[in-house]
Each structure stands twice: as C-alpha cells, then as structure tokens.
C-alpha cells in the first residue's frame, strides 16, 4: 500500500462514491427513496388557463417552497398518512377524474403514459401541487393549482 494507507486508484476506474451522511438518511437499506425528492423536469410552464404557474404569486411561491421542504423532511408513508378534516391531505387522483382541460393537457404534454393517476399535495385552503410519483420516490412536479380547478369538488 502506498504511503497514507489508501490504495492507489486504478487508472480509468473511480472508486464507488460514498453517500454523504446528509443524504444517507433519505435512502433505505434496499436503495429506495424514503423521502420525497422533487423534480422540475416535467413542470408545465406553457399552460396559461384556469390554473398554472402564471398564477403563482410571491406569497404562493414561498408557500410552495415551504411545502416541499416540509414534505421532504417526512417519509412518503408519513406524507400519505396526513389528514385534514378526516380526509387524506395528500393523495393520488385518477387522471380520468380530473377536469376535461387537465385530461387534455396531460395528453398534450405527452404525460399520458406516465401513470393513470397523479399525486397532489394540498397546501392550506385550495392550493394544490400536482404531479407524478410513480414508485421511485421522486415527485415530478407538473402544475400549480391555486384555486382547486384541476379536480374541482365544488360545482361552478
């Protein structure tokens, strides 16, 4: 062994990277993500209808960031167990049950083969963060819905 007690790296091969302690708590022993990881690659920034990122106020931006930070501190099981007024606070929703405009947008954005259901995080009041969690622990953010229009529960 060379001086210093570390073996020489074989040229062209990097040693397996060690997971930093701060990140190790995010992954289970079997390599599954325990906590939500938020991905922005599917964010639908071009939609400008009855919901969408064009409606994101400065106050709402802070609320969305706070929600993501709070959810990332929990396990997915803890996220799914949260309730509000006896109902699940964050849950899956069948795409077929969304408003027609949302169903059309899923197809237009080429997301119709992602999953038959989307996941939505509820902020307080009517704000919702919509996207896909398809079993890999990553939440792929798609829409900001400040007024509960993607899946309306009140008649217009």
């Amino acid at each position: 062994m060379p001086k210093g007690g570390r073996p020489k790296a074989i040229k062209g091969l990097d040693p397996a990277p060690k997971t930093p302690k701060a990140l190790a708590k995010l992954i289970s022993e079997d390599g599954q993500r325990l906590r939500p990881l938020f991905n922005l690659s599917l964010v639908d920034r071009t939609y400008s209808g009855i919901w969408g990122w064009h409606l994101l106020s400065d106050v709402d931006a802070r609320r969305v960031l706070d929600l993501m930070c709070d959810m990332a501190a929990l396990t997915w099981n803890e996220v799914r167990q949260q309730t509000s007024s006896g109902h699940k606070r964050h849950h899956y929703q069948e795409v077929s049950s969304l408003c027609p405009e949302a169903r059309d947008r899923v197809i237009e954005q080429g997301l119709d083969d992602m999953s038959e259901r989307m996941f939505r995080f509820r902020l307080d009041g009517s704000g919702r963060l919509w996207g896909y969690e398809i079993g890999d622990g990553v939440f792929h953010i798609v829409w900001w819905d400040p007024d509960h229009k993607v899946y309306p529960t009140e008649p217009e």
Side-chain angles (χ1 to χ4, degrees):
M1 225 180 247
K3 278 187 175 178
R6 293 185 59 171
K8 277 188 173 179
I10 299 172
K11 190 172 185 171
L13 295 177
D14 290 330
K18 184 177 177 188
T19 303
K21 285 185 257 180
L23 299 179
K25 66 183 177 185
L26 306 178
I27 301 172
S28 68
E29 289 181 16
D30 62 359
Q32 298 294 311
R33 284 188 185 85
L34 295 173
R35 301 173 191 275
L37 179 68
F38 292 88
N39 182 296
L40 302 172
S41 63
L42 299 179
V43 168
D44 183 1
R45 296 186 296 164
T46 60
Y47 176 77
S48 60
I50 59 175
W51 73 86
W53 297 102
H54 64 288
L55 300 172
L56 186 69
S57 69
D58 291 346
V59 170
D60 285 341
R62 178 57 192 236
R63 290 175 52 227
V64 169
L65 178 62
D66 286 345
L67 172 82
M68 289 189 297
C69 290
D70 292 346
M71 295 302 102
L74 302 174
T75 66
W76 271 107
N77 285 338
E78 291 169 330
V79 168
R80 291 183 189 106
Q81 289 173 6
Q82 287 188 347
T83 59
S84 176
S85 303
H87 301 298
K88 289 199 179 266
R89 187 169 176 84
H90 318 291
H91 59 80
Y92 291 100
Q93 188 71 44
E94 295 295 321
V95 172
S96 62
S97 70
L98 304 180
C99 73
E101 196 166 350
R103 293 191 311 264
D104 290 346
R105 194 67 188 164
V106 165
I107 293 167
E108 289 169 21
Q109 292 300 112
L111 303 174
D112 50 320
D113 66 346
M114 288 286 291
S115 174
E116 293 178 359
R117 60 189 188 161
M118 293 182 83
F119 192 85
R120 63 100 166 148
F121 285 99
R122 176 184 173 192
L123 279 75
D124 53 18
S126 58
R128 305 290 186 269
L129 188 62
W130 286 89
Y132 291 94
E133 191 282 316
I134 53 175
D136 60 358
V138 177
F139 181 70
H140 303 273
I141 300 169
V142 179
W143 299 316
W144 164 240
D145 178 15
D147 298 313
H148 207 304
K149 300 286 187 181
V150 171
Y151 178 73
T153 54
E154 300 292 325
E156 297 272 331

